[in-house]
Amino acid sequence: MHVILQALMAAALVSLASAAAAQNNQGAPDVGDATAAWRNPKLTPDQRARDLLPRLTLEEKISLLHGDGTFSTAPLTRFSIPSRWMSDGPNGVREEIQTQGWNPAGRSDDFATAMPSNVGLAASFDIELAKAYGHVIGEEARARNKHIMLGPGFNIMRTPLNGRNSEYFGEDPFLASRMAVNYIQAVQSHGVASCAKHFALNNQETQRNSINVEVDDRALREIYLPAFKASVTEAKVWTIMTAYNKVRGDWCSESDLLLNQILKKDWAFQGLVMSDWGGVHSTAKAANNGMDLEMGSNVNAQPARGASPNSNPHDRDYLAAPLLELLRTANSPVSMDRIDDMALRNLRVMAATGLLDPAPASAPARDPRTALMSPEHIATARRIAEASCVLLKNNNNLLPFDPATVKSIAVIGDNANTRFAHDGNSAAIKTRNEVTPLEGIKNRLGTDVSVVYAQGYTRQNPAARGRRGALPASAPATATGPSPLVEQAVSAARNADVAVIVAGLYRGQDQEGADRPNYNLPPGQLELIQAVLAVNPRTVVVLNGGAPISLEPWVANANALLMYWYGGTEGGNALARVLFGDANPSAKLPASWPKRLTDSPAHTSGPTSFPGQGGQQRYEESILVGYRWFDAKEIEPQFPFGFGLSYTTFELSNLRLVEAPVNVSKWTPAIMMMQIEVTVANTGPRDGAEVVQVYVQDVQSSLPRPPRELKGFAKVHLARGQRSTVRIPLNLGAFTYYDPEKKAWVAEAGEFTILAGTSSRDLRLKTEYKLAETRVMKDSD
Ligand code: BGC
């Protein structure tokens, strides 16, 4: 049928059915027969939701607005619409949790592929891998019957200490936006809703449940919101989770500015806003200021007084019975229109995720036994883990090790023998066969090579703590001479051809719920690394973690250094393939690596800036986050944003700006202005991949701007000797700043320099561009 005709007929159907439902308001409204528009999968989620809404009683509407279990909402039984099921999180489908409470459900079929951490995905600078990542999450979520996946998260890395850095996409809003959009689109293509979290300004875990963040408009719009905006306007994400903290005096869960003004008005978000678990604090204010679905509250674990003992423990949640009671008062502060809007937003997401479809369409799309941890998913996890390893040093081409000549290897460090995936609070995954670095190396080398393992240090396991508890302070290193563990490691390294130390962070001190206590390596590692480097110069230091860590004073003595960010199910195999040259590293740092914490922007102006004082925090550095700060203040980082080595070499040449024909009636930041062409040649001995990065510098501006900002990148795979020309688009948004006076984005007429290169500090190619006219655009444009 002609599409327009089809749409017209569909619209007519919807209004007829809605009218029928509205007329029948004796008792419960009519659910509609088999032809009811809400049941018709050919209609849009909005059409279906609008048909269903008037058929719901007020109680049914309210039942959509809060959880009835830890990760579920109540079914609409009159309509045979089942419960919605959600799951964490950003790196895979979490194990099943008991319906009420937080204990594991104890099942044997709730495993999943543990993908590498999100910060590792960002390090790949590869949007194709972001898509591949999202497809794994989407397929496994369907197989586990999840309708909403609680991820990805993309709060900006403001400080290396944030406990959740591994769950986010690094320090740059453009990089985070590209990763988020591709990840979300892929997940949602499977009929599973993504959830963009945590909106907004959850940039630390310290006091996350009470801190009030004050940030200026420019930093908010230019640094902290772009990835959320792109998720809404480009990826059409179906759900957004509010952060626990306050912004400008209001809880994020009841922030009129964030939810009503920015998200729903400026960005025209059509999906639902959900709270973080237990993050709602009021009824009327939350409802009026934009909350649509309250999750994880436990306002009254006991059933309401007078309620039947079987009533749900969530009955007294803020958007449950208290909301209904408020609506029944004479002057209810919450209007019925708002209730309809909240319900409609929930219904749209339910339609989009198959919940309104006739059974068995809402049953798992793929047989869980074949979809979960399928060979393709495992291969994708490995490919991404390989592409996430950042080679930071490689003196005299120590790496890759030649498997034909290495006869003995010392593998050192507790992290080499640790599985990380099943820890990490809400980012934890129950995965089968997570390959540790030690296992990966053994798998790769087989039995002819002697692999000697030495633990090197003991992991300091934090005392048991609640989900939101603080970590005990780390015990100071007390060693007065080499500890026995270090002695064993030194002896293993001395007697081996090559040594690999796997150190760095581990879950427990690098996860949700608390920030790292300091920038140091965990206890015992400094001594170990220095002692091993002193006896075997053919040592590679591999650091695990979600963020930079102090490398002083030993980094100058390390010949090879590799960053490995919680590699997931296949992490150890991926690492071994990088170490032995089966895979050529091509990742780049998604965050600047400070020499010392006090160089880092959040840590330069005292406790008000980090971690806050008296419950208040002010982001003093404003827009100068990450490399923007290091560049503006001319501080030498240990390694710059966008930096990473390869086993081959690349040459970039012939930067050319090809202006796009622009013929528009309305200027918006999305208007394509030009393509930047760069020729890349693989001039070294191996096949490999390079990331061409394009930065824009405003030569003269009415408002202060960072020296340069990433506005485009492309990953190019080239065989040895091959060359190719890449095209990187720049839109008008690449030239804008946010003007707080005008409350608008401004692309100011004048000169811009466009730089291209292979890191934020290696930009050898440049060209000038003159923007002829100033364009002022609203955030809603
Ligand atoms: C976390 C969220 C998570 C939720 C459900 C919260 O503590 O902040 O990211 O999705 O728990 O587990």
Side-chain angles (χ1 to χ4, degrees), residues 71 88 94 164 197-198 241 244 276-277 467 512:
F71 285 108
D88 285 307
R94 186 179 180 176
R164 298 191 91 164
K197 66 190 191 182
H198 305 89
M241 186 191 294
Y244 281 126
D276 199 342
W277 269 231
R467 275 171 42 81
E512 180 186 352

Side-chain angles (χ1 to χ4, degrees), residues 493-515:
R494 188 182 279 126
N495 296 321
D497 292 344
V498 296
V500 177
I501 303 174
V502 188
L505 309 178
Y506 33 81
R507 295 307 191 184
Q509 28 95 296
D510 189 29
Q511 67 180 1
E512 180 186 352
D515 293 324

Side-chain angles (χ1 to χ4, degrees), residues 263-347:
L263 179 62
K264 292 182 177 175
K265 188 162 146 278
D266 290 351
W267 304 346
F269 176 61
Q270 297 297 300
L272 70 85
V273 173
M274 71 171 80
S275 68
D276 199 342
W277 269 231
V280 172
H281 301 268
S282 63
T283 297
K285 192 171 176 189
N288 285 334
N289 289 355
M291 181 54 59
D292 303 309
L293 173 59
E294 174 185 16
M295 290 303 300
S297 295
N298 211 357
V299 173
N300 181 3
Q302 305 305 315
R305 225 172 335 142
S308 86
N310 293 332
S311 71
N312 187 281
H314 294 277
D315 285 353
R316 299 301 305 170
D317 288 357
Y318 292 101
L319 302 186
L323 178 58
L324 197 57
E325 286 156 16
L326 213 57
L327 291 162
R328 288 184 174 139
T329 59
N331 291 314
S332 165
V334 182
S335 70
M336 284 299 174
D337 281 355
R338 175 63 188 129
I339 298 298
D340 280 352
D341 177 52
M342 292 162 91
L344 189 66
R345 288 171 178 277
N346 280 274
L347 293 173

Side-chain angles (χ1 to χ4, degrees), residues 410-454:
V411 179
I412 296 165
D414 196 69
N415 275 359
N417 198 23
T418 296
R419 295 184 216 286
F420 299 107
H422 60 275
D423 289 326
N425 279 353
S426 63
I429 307 292
K430 179 168 156 185
T431 192
R432 279 190 183 149
N433 313 327
E434 178 187 345
V435 181
T436 65
L438 177 61
E439 288 166 344
I441 290 169
K442 285 184 174 166
N443 291 344
R444 175 62 183 82
L445 293 178
T447 47
D448 292 346
V449 177
S450 144
V451 181
V452 175
Y453 172 67

